[in-house]
Amino acid sequence: MVISNAWVNRDYKHLVLDAGLPAAGAKAGQFFHLLCPATEQDSPFFRRPMSTYRADPATGRVEFLYKVTGAGTRGLATLEAGDKLPMLGPLGVGFTLPAGARHIVVLGRGVGLATLAPLAEMAAQARVGVTAILSARDAANLMSQDRFTAIGATIVEVTDEAGTSSVENVERLLRELHAAGRADAFYTCGSSRLTLLMQRLGAELSVPGEVAMEQQMACGIGMCYCCVRAFREGDRLVSKRVCWDGPVFPLAEVA
Amino acid sequence: MIDLSVDVGGLRLSNPVMPASGTFADGLANTIDFNRLGAFVTKTITHEKRTGNPVPRVAEVHSGMLNAIGIPSKGSDYFIRESIPFYRKFSPPLVVSISAPSNDGFARLAAELSQVEGVAAIEANISCPNIEEDGKAFAMHARSTAAVVKALRASTSLPLWVKLTPNTGEIANVARAAQEEGADAIVAANTILGMAIDIDTRRPKLGNVMGGMSGPAIKPIVVRMVYQCHRAVSIPIIGCGGIATAEDAIEYMLAGAKAVQVGTATFIHPTAMIDVIDGLVQYCRRKDLPGLQGLVGAVEDTGFVPFEAMA
């Protein structure tokens, strides 16, 4: 049942649902498979996977933050308070915190920030400090600052508009954080360039990490083998299903 | 008391609803009660390990999907060791879908599986390319169908189901050839070859360029093929193509199907097979029927009066 579905800026909407338990028990990094409504313009056939922006067992609420881009999200954007949205989940493997971590770095770009916000809260509950590097095209597309601020995270904003979002600049930031002892683990979502950067630095600096991957899905529960990607296991390349084996994977496995 | 049980190609099923190969896996056990299904039909396995096709592997089309997954398989050894013990925990019979590039390959894989406890039947997916026929699917022609079914029949005493392709102009002849060489049932049909192009990038929407179309959009085409097969063969027909509701299943039965496979619908509604089973019971109650047997091939296709010539 939809509680609200409001624009947060020009491109993104924030959908709040009363989903009840066990849906609201979704862990950071898990996703739901949403049966997006048809509109006059669109008839989405598949469900759409969407990572959880917030899930609160106390209230039974599940929230999503999404960019309106295609047939599925255009349908989602039409939902109003009181509407029903069939959804399957929570699905997939979520984020984990390495034992003994005291401070982590989360690096998100665009809608990837939505996936990382629950991870930052999970870290805060475990008394782990968080530095959040938020990347976007421009300041208007930076989101979730309030979520990161609320848990006491240190926020660093980088944008294309300000010329601060380049891989080189983000690498400098990550190296500084590591040198300051504030990077016991790396987490990222939303950009393959930034994922490869974190993977390379993680390997060089011996910092473990995880990435939430995106891939087109049909079934969402491991049956159709549509969402496979190649992953590295030792010196072998193996195919894994993003919906079933992920969507969160160790950074070291990204091929 | 409504009895949905049905005899299909050497197996007695508690109801006629089962998954279509490739649209089912153990992960679905978290969502539905497996013991309610008429049978299990596995994803197609091959003897050797295969990785499948490049991504993107699926594209959304109007009322359906286009896929080119490419039969990824962990190989028959892995399947026998890891998957069969899982399915043994449940009551529905296990139908193993198999594929091979040659008649001999099919025969060897069927023989291998026939030795394994827990395999109730073989579904030969002869919609895949045949290296001995220049890559054409076995089931495109009656002659190649006869040859592969003959080899399969000689290699196994398990019930043998043969899954046909709709990508043929002679579906009835192909079905007849399968029956004549000893198939216990035919499954009609697999996906219809299709293609979709992204008009912005000008690239095909599938990594494999072409793929198989499934979903509600293909149902009338395959219902027609089941109707044609029913007139051509006496062995049971299992209808497969765009079934999402009990009404769809009944339509297939009226055309001549004794059982049905639900495929793409499960991707959209994971409970689709259970909903179809429940819907069949409700239909029987509503029509005051004791079961489904009277429906098979019961379409009333006579009695239409042609128009008189223009005066």
Side-chain angles (χ1 to χ4, degrees):
Chain A
M1 172 84 79
V2 174
I3 293 172
S4 63
N5 187 26
W7 291 98
V8 294
N9 60 28
R10 196 179 58 238
D11 298 326
Y12 288 86
K13 289 196 89 167
H14 179 208
L15 176 62
V16 181
L17 299 147
D18 182 357
L21 286 169
K27 295 183 173 61
Q30 287 192 301
F31 71 96
F32 285 82
H33 219 27
L34 309 180
L35 192 63
C36 301
T39 65
E40 276 185 24
Q41 181 187 0
D42 300 299
S43 302
F45 182 68
F46 294 140
R47 286 176 183 250
R48 298 294 196 270
M50 190 161 291
S51 66
T52 316
Y53 184 48
R54 191 200 301 266
D56 186 351
T59 61
R61 290 187 177 189
V62 174
E63 303 178 23
F64 301 100
L65 190 64
Y66 60 98
K67 187 174 186 180
V68 182
T69 53
T73 45
R74 279 196 295 267
L76 278 187
T78 65
L79 289 171
E80 295 177 357
D83 288 346
K84 291 251 189 326
L85 174 66
M87 52 192 239
L88 179 68
L91 302 174
V93 177
F95 289 107
T96 55
L97 291 167
R102 287 168 294 119
H103 203 106
I104 64 169
V105 182
V106 304
L107 168 61
R109 172 135 177 119
V111 81
L113 293 166
T115 308
L116 296 169
L119 164 67
E121 281 161 7
M122 181 174 90
Q125 279 176 7
R127 298 181 183 281
V128 174
V130 177
T131 300
I133 304 176
L134 315 182
S135 173
R137 200 171 63 236
D138 50 39
N141 278 299
L142 284 169
M143 291 165 300
S144 315
Q145 292 97 323
D146 55 329
R147 293 281 300 276
F148 292 105
T149 305
I151 57 113
T154 306
I155 296 178
V156 183
E157 296 180 356
V158 295
T159 63
D160 303 354
E161 185 182 48
T164 49
S165 61
S166 67
V167 170
E168 293 73 23
N169 191 49
V170 175
E171 178 171 350
R172 186 184 57 77
L173 291 168
L174 291 173
R175 286 187 184 278
E176 284 174 9
L177 286 164
H178 180 257
R182 295 167 64 84
D184 297 329
F186 286 155
Y187 298 88
T188 189
C189 181
S191 159
S192 49
R193 286 190 313 152
L194 296 179
T195 299
L196 293 175
L197 165 65
M198 269 198 154
Q199 182 189 42
R200 176 166 56 80
L201 275 188
E204 180 191 323
L205 305 171
S206 297
V207 175
E210 291 178 337
V211 53
M213 308 284 272
E214 291 178 342
Q215 187 77 318
Q216 183 195 26
M217 294 179 189
C219 77
I221 50 177
M223 300 188 293
C224 68
Y225 286 75
C226 141
C227 64
V228 298
R229 295 178 73 127
F231 290 90
R232 204 171 274 134
E233 263 188 4
D235 53 2
R236 292 190 317 141
L237 279 183
V238 296
S239 74
K240 293 188 177 185
R241 290 165 286 181
V242 171
C243 75
W244 188 253
D245 301 306
V248 173
F249 292 90
L251 270 171
E253 287 190 9
V254 174
Chain B
M1 182 66 187
I2 289 158
D3 180 12
L4 293 186
S5 66
V6 58
D7 287 309
V8 181
L11 295 184
R12 177 81 176 167
L13 311 182
S14 64
N15 69 71
V17 181
M18 65 190 92
S21 174
T23 63
F24 178 73
D26 49 5
L28 193 62
N30 299 329
T31 310
I32 64 168
D33 178 0
F34 274 12
N35 287 322
R36 292 204 57 202
L37 301 177
F40 296 125
V41 182
T42 67
K43 197 168 184 67
T44 298
I45 65 158
T46 55
H47 175 72
E48 72 287 355
K49 290 181 187 170
R50 289 167 53 107
T51 54
N53 285 331
V55 294
R57 290 178 167 189
V58 304
E60 186 172 88
V61 292
H62 285 294
S63 291
M65 76 183 262
L66 202 55
N67 92 79
I69 306 291
I71 313 185
S73 169
K74 291 179 177 172
S76 52
D77 288 348
Y78 177 91
F79 176 79
I80 290 166
R81 193 176 65 243
E82 301 292 334
S83 298
I84 289 181
F86 171 81
Y87 288 110
R88 276 205 208 110
K89 294 187 287 188
F90 303 97
S91 55
L94 178 64
V95 181
V96 181
S97 173
I98 65 169
S99 172
S102 66
N103 297 345
D104 194 40
F106 262 108
R108 271 184 284 140
L109 185 50
E112 183 184 356
L113 287 162
S114 301
Q115 309 301 317
V116 181
E117 189 192 340
V119 178
I122 300 285
E123 180 179 287
N125 175 3
I126 62 166
S127 317
C128 54
N130 176 6
I131 55 170
E132 290 157 6
E133 290 279 350
D134 198 25
K136 295 187 185 73
F138 294 84
M140 280 182 179
H141 302 292
R143 188 171 52 85
S144 44
T145 298
V148 70
V149 175
K150 186 175 186 176
L152 278 159
R153 185 72 286 169
S155 70
T156 182
S157 54
L158 285 176
L160 175 62
W161 299 1
V162 176
K163 186 167 180 177
L164 307 187
T165 176
N167 302 310
T168 174
E170 47 171 324
I171 189 90
N173 289 340
V174 170
R176 210 176 284 119
Q179 173 176 279
E180 283 170 4
E181 294 300 339
D184 294 299
I186 58 170
V187 182
N190 210 319
T191 55
I192 297 173
L193 192 61
M195 181 171 173
I197 301 169
D198 184 318
I199 61 164
D200 292 319
T201 64
R202 301 188 179 191
R203 292 174 62 83
K205 287 187 176 177
L206 294 178
N208 196 51
V209 181
M210 290 178 277
M213 169 99 180
S214 63
I218 73 164
K219 196 186 77 178
I221 298 168
V222 189
V223 168
R224 178 266 295 176
M225 290 184 165
V226 166
Y227 175 74
Q228 289 176 308
C229 289
H230 184 65
R231 295 195 298 183
V233 298
S234 56
I235 54 176
I237 300 162
I238 300 159
C240 176
I243 296 169
T245 65
E247 289 74 17
D248 297 330
I250 291 160
E251 199 176 333
Y252 267 95
M253 287 174 189
L254 291 171
K258 211 166 179 190
V260 292
Q261 295 184 345
V262 177
T264 305
T266 300
F267 294 164
I268 317 301
H269 300 287
T271 61
M273 286 185 283
I274 304 299
D275 297 342
V276 171
I277 296 165
D278 291 342
L280 289 175
V281 173
Q282 286 162 18
Y283 178 82
C284 290
R285 286 210 181 106
R286 187 155 54 85
K287 297 288 184 181
D288 202 19
L289 299 170
L292 301 164
Q293 293 309 318
L295 296 175
V296 178
V299 57
E300 295 186 10
D301 56 355
T302 56
F304 291 108
V305 179
F307 290 107
E308 295 295 325
M310 295 290 281

